[in-house]
Amino acid sequence: MSVSMSQSFVGILINSSDCFRYENNDIRDDMPDDLSPSAQIDYDRLLGGLLIEGFDERSCRSRYQFARYHRNAARVPSPYLIERLRRQEALQKKCGPGTKSYNNAAKQLMSTQSIDGISDCNYLFLTIHAGMGNRMLEITSAFLYALLTGRVLLVDRYKQIANTFCEPFPGTSWLIPSDFPLSYNEFTKHSPESYGNMLQENVIRGNTYRSLASARPPYAYLHLDGDYAFHDKLFYCEDDQQFLQGVPWLIMRTDMYFVPSLFLIPSFQDELSKLFPEKDTVFHHLGRYLLHPTNDIWYSATTYYRAYLAKADKVVGIQIRIFEKKGILQRNGPFPHVLEQILSCAQGEKLLPQIGVTDGAAAGNNRTIAVLGTSLSSWYSDQIRERYSEHRTVDGTMVKVYQPSHEEYQKKKNRKHNMKALAEIYLLSMSDVLITSGFSTFGYVAQGLAGLTPWIMYRPENHVVPEPPCGRAMSIEPCFHQAPYFDCRAKRDADLGKVVPYVRHCEDVSWGLKIVNETRL
């Protein structure tokens, strides 16, 4: 049996004729640190040592409350990762905005002199432009690269970061100051400052491959977006990393989770193995360390969870993303084949019960399953709810279906849309099991935060349900969609999904790369 229920975000999103709007006067940041009713008495508020005490809890409730809303056993971070995070925090504070080191480094950006030697404070500045899922993946990727190369991570202050995420580092800010001297939004892969363009135009030259002894420019622009070209992709080569190590400022633009290719750079491999003995936990640990939604977003997510999901015996998260080649911005359905794929996956994998042909139900079953649907369209959740309303389930389980919002199309530059999207990502991560849509970064982020290995729905072709409709992912890691295929050592194209056993091709993107844990293969 299904309960017909279509609820909006409580307190933040108000349901009015199926249109959702923000009511800022309803936003509260005084939510007490409790979860009632809950079987949990104790919870690890510091996430195994990823976090430290000392932050103002009222200013960022999500930082210490995250574990309270995640019932799945989290992977344990390595002591070495915890040690390196503390060292990174000290570096961010020593060299961050407002310090003498930062001010000197910012002045150096405008210098026409080449740089000899290595500074105590080097920087990675990440520009932001993608949708919410990609945004979280690119921030995490950039942070890992900063950690590996001893750089301070700074992010674009003008792309709603302060409105969506709390400051992650104690005693400093990760937002680039407003008086940053470069017009970074004007950089493209064709800019003279682009590292790939420098290589292509032979600005950087010397011995057999790179002149590692030559003076470096004060900064370089790294174009790592999906449209990047061959010379841009040489960023992932050992010789290029050796050269870039001496460049004080790296300005990066990316919309991808490029972590798998970092695992293929020889000079990073030992350090990565120490940081992540369980190799498929990179986003799980770094995402939970770095990304803490602001109070209004956290309040909407947790209030919704407490109102509709907390009492269920199981929460099944279903993340639906439609990738139609035509009309994707205007049309997300309805597509009956997608609905059948969802139900075939959920019922075939026994994540949802089968629907009976009669109204008779198994006796003595008081079990409740809450289905949390997220989609730009409400049609799929409505149809699942209707199907379970027509007949009882074969085992008597009650199925309740919820969907917090339906925006119809993505509006990645809209602040309110991004806040809703982030709240739904965290709601999905509170599920007990997850079904995600292949190729969707929204689902990647939810599964990584949760530490859940999802069932991935494969992309249909010609409006036909794939067979099988879904499959279990190899790991909880996201997929690097536009991974390079150039073998830096052999100087030729190669299958980089076969270089090391823990970097494989993705289930949902055959040309992409993802990290898997060797012990789980």
Side-chain angles (χ1 to χ4, degrees):
M1 176 181 291
S2 168
V3 173
S4 179
M5 190 81 67
S6 179
Q7 299 293 344
S8 63
F9 280 127
V10 177
I12 300 297
L13 305 176
I14 310 300
N15 189 346
S16 175
S17 300
D18 292 328
C19 294
F20 298 104
R21 67 184 189 276
Y22 271 84
E23 294 289 352
N24 291 328
N25 57 353
D26 286 336
I27 294 176
R28 295 169 44 193
D29 66 357
D30 59 346
M31 184 176 65
D33 185 10
D34 68 336
L35 178 59
S36 179
S38 172
Q40 295 174 295
I41 299 174
D42 297 317
Y43 65 100
D44 181 9
R45 60 189 253 124
L46 300 182
L47 304 178
L50 290 176
L51 307 181
I52 59 172
E53 298 281 7
F55 284 93
D56 176 20
E57 296 188 41
R58 285 182 59 85
S59 67
C60 184
R61 299 284 184 182
S62 64
R63 191 188 318 271
Y64 296 130
Q65 291 184 6
F66 179 90
R68 198 72 189 247
Y69 291 87
H70 292 77
R71 297 187 282 193
N72 302 289
R75 309 277 190 90
V76 178
S78 70
Y80 185 68
L81 173 59
I82 293 171
E83 174 193 333
R84 288 290 285 109
L85 291 176
R86 302 293 87 85
R87 284 162 53 188
Q88 183 69 22
E89 290 164 356
L91 180 67
Q92 297 278 153
K93 186 173 182 179
K94 171 188 173 184
C95 302
T99 64
K100 181 178 180 180
S101 296
Y102 172 84
N103 292 337
N104 289 337
K107 290 177 183 177
Q108 193 179 59
L109 278 169
M110 305 309 293
S111 173
T112 58
Q113 302 290 324
S114 296
I115 306 299
D116 287 309
I118 297 177
S119 169
D120 288 339
C121 296
N122 292 328
Y123 297 85
L124 174 64
F125 171 32
L126 178 68
T127 67
I128 303 292
H129 70 100
M132 187 54 66
N134 293 74
R135 185 172 298 193
M136 298 171 77
L137 296 179
E138 69 187 62
I139 290 173
T140 307
S141 301
F143 176 68
L144 177 59
Y145 181 68
L147 196 70
L148 291 170
T149 56
R151 293 181 178 273
V152 174
L153 175 67
L154 299 175
V155 298
D156 194 344
R157 71 181 299 112
Y158 295 110
K159 297 299 169 47
Q160 306 171 14
I161 294 298
N163 293 325
T164 49
F165 296 109
C166 305
E167 292 276 1
F169 307 118
T172 188
S173 176
W174 69 339
L175 300 176
I176 198 77
S178 57
D179 60 355
F180 186 70
L182 297 180
S183 300
Y184 54 88
N185 285 321
E186 298 176 4
F187 290 153
T188 72
K189 64 181 179 181
H190 303 296
S191 299
E193 299 88 352
S194 162
Y195 181 68
N197 195 55
M198 291 182 196
L199 294 177
Q200 187 172 4
E201 299 300 324
N202 293 318
V203 175
I204 300 171
R205 66 184 71 190
N207 53 29
T208 56
Y209 194 49
R210 296 286 176 275
S211 177
L212 303 183
S214 65
R216 273 71 164 177
Y219 68 92
Y221 168 63
L222 303 173
H223 188 84
L224 302 179
D225 256 358
D227 65 345
Y228 63 165
F230 171 79
H231 287 91
D232 300 309
K233 297 176 185 179
L234 295 180
F235 167 82
Y236 299 110
C237 291
E238 179 69 38
D239 289 342
D240 297 82
Q241 284 302 317
Q242 292 296 323
F243 181 87
L244 290 169
Q245 187 67 26
V247 180
W249 282 87
L250 297 179
I251 301 168
M252 178 183 289
R253 176 186 171 101
T254 184
D255 56 0
M256 296 180 289
Y257 185 73
F258 59 79
V259 168
S261 286
L262 297 181
F263 274 77
L264 299 178
I265 299 174
S267 60
F268 294 161
Q269 288 174 339
D270 288 345
E271 182 76 357
L272 285 166
S273 292
K274 290 194 294 183
L275 289 168
F276 305 101
E278 288 187 285
K279 290 183 171 61
D280 65 341
T281 59
V282 178
F283 184 80
H284 180 62
H285 291 320
L286 297 187
R288 294 186 309 144
Y289 166 76
L290 200 63
L291 303 171
H292 309 289
T294 51
N295 281 346
D296 46 2
I297 297 169
W298 184 246
Y299 181 77
S300 66
T302 54
T303 303
Y304 194 98
Y305 177 85
R306 290 147 63 96
Y308 305 116
L309 307 178
K311 295 182 181 180
D313 295 288
K314 182 171 76 171
V315 178
V316 177
I318 303 178
Q319 181 261 331
I320 306 163
R321 180 66 191 270
I322 309 300
F323 291 96
E324 282 295 305
K325 293 182 180 179
K326 296 181 180 180
I328 180 63
L329 293 180
Q330 295 79 27
R331 180 178 165 90
N332 285 283
F335 295 115
H337 70 281
V338 174
L339 174 64
E340 293 308 313
Q341 182 180 6
I342 296 166
L343 289 170
S344 180
C345 174
Q347 294 173 349
E349 298 295 339
K350 303 188 185 319
L351 306 179
L352 289 180
Q354 296 285 343
I355 298 172
V357 295
T358 67
D359 288 336
N365 186 350
N366 295 319
R367 196 162 179 262
T368 299
I369 294 177
V371 174
L372 173 68
T374 64
S375 173
L376 293 172
S377 168
S378 63
W379 185 80
Y380 302 98
S381 291
D382 291 342
Q383 290 297 309
I384 294 170
R385 182 183 304 113
E386 183 177 323
R387 298 247 182 143
Y388 277 97
S389 296
E390 291 175 351
H391 299 285
R392 295 180 183 272
T393 59
V394 295
D395 63 359
T397 300
M398 179 176 289
V399 176
K400 301 181 180 181
V401 181
Y402 305 94
Q403 180 169 325
S405 72
H406 50 93
E407 295 285 279
E408 301 306 328
Y409 61 93
Q410 188 174 10
K411 298 172 259 186
K412 65 182 181 182
K413 294 183 179 181
N414 183 284
R415 174 176 174 266
K416 293 177 181 179
H417 174 87
N418 285 333
M419 293 176 75
K420 293 178 186 179
L422 186 57
E424 291 192 10
I425 285 173
Y426 276 87
L427 268 173
L428 275 175
S429 76
M430 298 173 191
S431 304
D432 297 304
V433 294
L434 270 177
I435 299 172
T436 62
S437 297
F439 208 83
S440 174
T441 57
F442 199 97
Y444 294 163
V445 173
Q447 74 196 37
L449 291 171
L452 289 173
T453 305
W455 280 263
I456 301 174
M457 291 188 292
Y458 305 121
R459 291 178 69 172
E461 295 184 5
N462 301 319
H463 290 195
V464 176
V465 177
E467 181 55 45
C470 64
R472 198 77 186 270
M474 290 182 288
S475 76
I476 63 175
E477 277 286 292
C479 177
F480 181 7
H481 287 171
Q482 300 293 336
Y485 46 83
F486 181 70
D487 187 324
C488 301
R489 289 179 176 177
K491 304 293 188 292
R492 59 179 172 79
D493 292 346
D495 186 349
L496 299 187
K498 297 181 179 179
V499 175
V500 294
Y502 46 84
V503 176
R504 297 285 189 87
H505 288 297
C506 311
E507 305 91 341
D508 53 334
V509 184
S510 61
W511 58 89
L513 295 177
K514 73 181 297 183
I515 303 166
V516 299
N517 194 8
E518 295 167 279
T519 62
R520 295 171 183 265
L521 294 177

Coordinates of all heavy atoms in Angstrom, one line a residue, residues 1-4 353-356 358-361 367-369 384-401:
M1 N 0.9 -1.2 0.0 CA 0.0 0.0 0.0 C 0.9 1.2 0.0 O 1.9 1.3 0.6 CB -0.9 0.0 1.2 CG -1.7 1.3 1.4 SD -2.8 1.3 2.8 CE -3.9 0.0 2.4
S2 N 0.5 2.2 -0.7 CA 1.2 3.5 -0.8 C 0.4 4.6 -0.2 O -0.8 4.6 -0.2 CB 1.6 3.8 -2.2 OG 2.0 5.1 -2.3
V3 N 1.0 5.5 0.5 CA 0.4 6.7 1.0 C 0.7 7.8 0.0 O 1.8 8.1 -0.3 CB 0.9 7.1 2.4 CG1 0.3 8.4 2.8 CG2 0.5 6.0 3.4
S4 N -0.4 8.5 -0.5 CA -0.2 9.5 -1.4 C 0.3 10.8 -0.7 O -0.4 11.3 0.2 CB -1.5 9.8 -2.1 OG -1.3 10.9 -3.1
P353 N 9.2 -3.8 -2.6 CA 8.5 -5.0 -2.7 C 7.7 -5.1 -4.0 O 7.3 -4.0 -4.6 CB 7.6 -5.0 -1.5 CG 7.4 -3.5 -1.2 CD 8.7 -2.9 -1.6
Q354 N 7.4 -6.3 -4.5 CA 6.5 -6.5 -5.6 C 5.1 -6.0 -5.3 O 4.7 -6.1 -4.1 CB 6.5 -7.9 -6.0 CG 7.9 -8.4 -6.5 CD 8.2 -7.9 -7.9 OE1 7.3 -7.4 -8.7 NE2 9.5 -8.0 -8.3
I355 N 4.4 -5.7 -6.3 CA 3.0 -5.3 -6.1 C 2.1 -6.5 -6.4 O 2.3 -7.2 -7.4 CB 2.6 -4.1 -7.0 CG1 3.5 -2.9 -6.7 CG2 1.1 -3.8 -6.9 CD1 3.3 -1.8 -7.7
G356 N 1.1 -6.7 -5.4 CA 0.3 -7.9 -5.6 C -0.8 -7.7 -6.6 O -1.1 -6.5 -7.0
T358 N -3.9 -8.8 -6.2 CA -5.1 -8.6 -5.4 C -4.9 -7.6 -4.3 O -3.8 -7.2 -4.0 CB -5.6 -10.0 -4.8 OG1 -4.7 -10.4 -3.8 CG2 -5.7 -11.0 -5.9
D359 N -6.0 -7.3 -3.6 CA -5.8 -6.4 -2.4 C -5.4 -7.1 -1.1 O -5.3 -6.5 -0.1 CB -7.2 -5.7 -2.2 CG -7.4 -4.7 -3.3 OD1 -6.4 -4.2 -3.9 OD2 -8.6 -4.3 -3.5
G360 N -5.3 -8.4 -1.2 CA -4.9 -9.2 0.0 C -3.4 -8.9 0.3 O -2.6 -8.9 -0.6
A361 N -3.1 -8.8 1.6 CA -1.7 -8.5 2.0 C -1.3 -9.5 3.0 O -2.1 -10.1 3.7 CB -1.6 -7.1 2.6
R367 N 5.9 -3.1 8.5 CA 7.1 -2.5 7.9 C 6.7 -1.3 7.0 O 5.8 -1.4 6.2 CB 8.0 -3.5 7.2 CG 9.4 -3.1 7.0 CD 10.2 -4.3 6.7 NE 11.6 -3.9 6.4 CZ 12.1 -3.8 5.2 NH1 11.4 -4.0 4.1 NH2 13.4 -3.4 5.0
T368 N 7.5 -0.2 7.0 CA 7.3 0.9 6.2 C 8.6 1.2 5.4 O 9.7 1.3 6.0 CB 6.8 2.1 7.0 OG1 5.6 1.8 7.6 CG2 6.6 3.3 6.1
I369 N 8.4 1.4 4.1 CA 9.5 1.9 3.3 C 9.2 3.3 2.8 O 8.1 3.5 2.3 CB 9.8 1.0 2.1 CG1 10.3 -0.4 2.6 CG2 10.8 1.6 1.1 CD1 10.5 -1.4 1.5
I384 N 5.0 6.2 -9.5 CA 5.4 5.2 -8.5 C 4.4 5.1 -7.4 O 3.9 4.1 -6.9 CB 6.8 5.4 -8.0 CG1 7.8 5.3 -9.1 CG2 7.1 4.4 -6.9 CD1 9.2 5.7 -8.8
R385 N 4.0 6.3 -6.9 CA 3.0 6.4 -5.8 C 1.7 5.8 -6.3 O 1.1 5.0 -5.5 CB 2.9 7.8 -5.4 CG 1.9 8.0 -4.2 CD 1.7 9.5 -3.9 NE 3.0 10.1 -3.7 CZ 3.5 11.1 -4.5 NH1 2.9 11.4 -5.6 NH2 4.7 11.6 -4.2
E386 N 1.3 6.1 -7.5 CA 0.0 5.6 -8.0 C 0.0 4.1 -8.1 O -0.9 3.4 -7.8 CB -0.3 6.3 -9.3 CG -1.6 5.9 -9.9 CD -1.9 6.6 -11.2 OE1 -1.5 7.8 -11.3 OE2 -2.5 6.0 -12.1
R387 N 1.1 3.6 -8.6 CA 1.2 2.1 -8.8 C 1.1 1.4 -7.4 O 0.4 0.3 -7.4 CB 2.6 1.7 -9.4 CG 2.7 2.3 -10.8 CD 2.8 1.3 -11.9 NE 3.0 1.9 -13.2 CZ 3.7 1.3 -14.1 NH1 4.3 0.2 -13.9 NH2 3.8 1.9 -15.3
Y388 N 1.7 1.9 -6.4 CA 1.7 1.2 -5.1 C 0.3 1.5 -4.4 O 0.0 0.9 -3.5 CB 2.8 1.7 -4.2 CG 4.1 0.9 -4.5 CD1 5.1 1.3 -5.3 CD2 4.2 -0.4 -3.9 CE1 6.2 0.6 -5.6 CE2 5.4 -1.2 -4.2 CZ 6.3 -0.7 -5.0 OH 7.5 -1.4 -5.3
S389 N -0.4 2.5 -4.9 CA -1.7 2.8 -4.3 C -2.8 1.9 -4.9 O -3.8 1.6 -4.2 CB -2.1 4.3 -4.6 OG -1.3 5.2 -4.0
E390 N -2.6 1.4 -6.1 CA -3.6 0.6 -6.7 C -3.8 -0.8 -6.0 O -4.9 -1.3 -5.9 CB -3.3 0.4 -8.2 CG -3.4 1.6 -9.0 CD -2.9 1.4 -10.5 OE1 -2.4 0.3 -10.7 OE2 -3.1 2.3 -11.3
H391 N -2.7 -1.4 -5.6 CA -2.8 -2.7 -4.9 C -1.8 -2.7 -3.7 O -0.8 -2.0 -3.7 CB -2.4 -3.8 -5.9 CG -3.3 -3.9 -7.1 ND1 -4.6 -4.4 -7.0 CD2 -3.2 -3.5 -8.4 CE1 -5.2 -4.4 -8.1 NE2 -4.3 -3.8 -9.0
R392 N -2.1 -3.6 -2.8 CA -1.1 -3.8 -1.7 C 0.1 -4.5 -2.2 O 0.1 -5.2 -3.2 CB -1.8 -4.6 -0.6 CG -3.0 -3.9 0.1 CD -3.6 -4.8 1.1 NE -4.8 -4.1 1.7 CZ -4.7 -3.3 2.7 NH1 -3.5 -3.0 3.3 NH2 -5.8 -2.8 3.2
T393 N 1.2 -4.4 -1.4 CA 2.4 -5.1 -1.8 C 2.2 -6.6 -1.4 O 1.4 -7.0 -0.5 CB 3.6 -4.5 -1.0 OG1 3.4 -4.6 0.4 CG2 3.8 -3.1 -1.5
V394 N 3.0 -7.5 -2.0 CA 2.9 -8.9 -1.7 C 3.2 -9.3 -0.3 O 2.7 -10.3 0.2 CB 3.7 -9.7 -2.7 CG1 3.2 -9.6 -4.1 CG2 5.2 -9.4 -2.6
D395 N 4.1 -8.5 0.4 CA 4.5 -8.9 1.7 C 3.8 -7.9 2.8 O 4.1 -8.0 4.0 CB 6.0 -8.9 1.9 CG 6.6 -7.5 1.6 OD1 5.8 -6.5 1.3 OD2 7.8 -7.3 1.8
G396 N 2.9 -7.1 2.3 CA 2.2 -6.2 3.3 C 3.0 -4.9 3.6 O 2.5 -4.1 4.5
T397 N 4.2 -4.7 3.1 CA 4.9 -3.5 3.4 C 4.2 -2.3 2.9 O 3.7 -2.3 1.8 CB 6.4 -3.6 2.8 OG1 7.0 -4.8 3.3 CG2 7.2 -2.4 3.1
M398 N 4.2 -1.3 3.7 CA 3.6 0.0 3.3 C 4.7 0.8 2.6 O 5.8 1.0 3.2 CB 3.0 0.8 4.5 CG 2.5 2.1 4.1 SD 1.7 3.0 5.4 CE 0.2 1.9 5.7
V399 N 4.5 1.4 1.4 CA 5.4 2.2 0.7 C 4.9 3.6 0.6 O 3.8 3.8 0.1 CB 5.7 1.6 -0.7 CG1 6.6 2.5 -1.5 CG2 6.2 0.2 -0.6
K400 N 5.7 4.5 1.1 CA 5.3 6.0 1.0 C 6.3 6.6 0.1 O 7.5 6.4 0.2 CB 5.4 6.6 2.4 CG 4.5 6.0 3.4 CD 4.6 6.7 4.8 CE 3.6 6.0 5.8 NZ 3.7 6.7 7.1
V401 N 5.8 7.5 -0.7 CA 6.6 8.1 -1.8 C 6.6 9.6 -1.6 O 5.6 10.3 -1.4 CB 6.1 7.8 -3.2 CG1 7.0 8.4 -4.2 CG2 6.0 6.3 -3.4

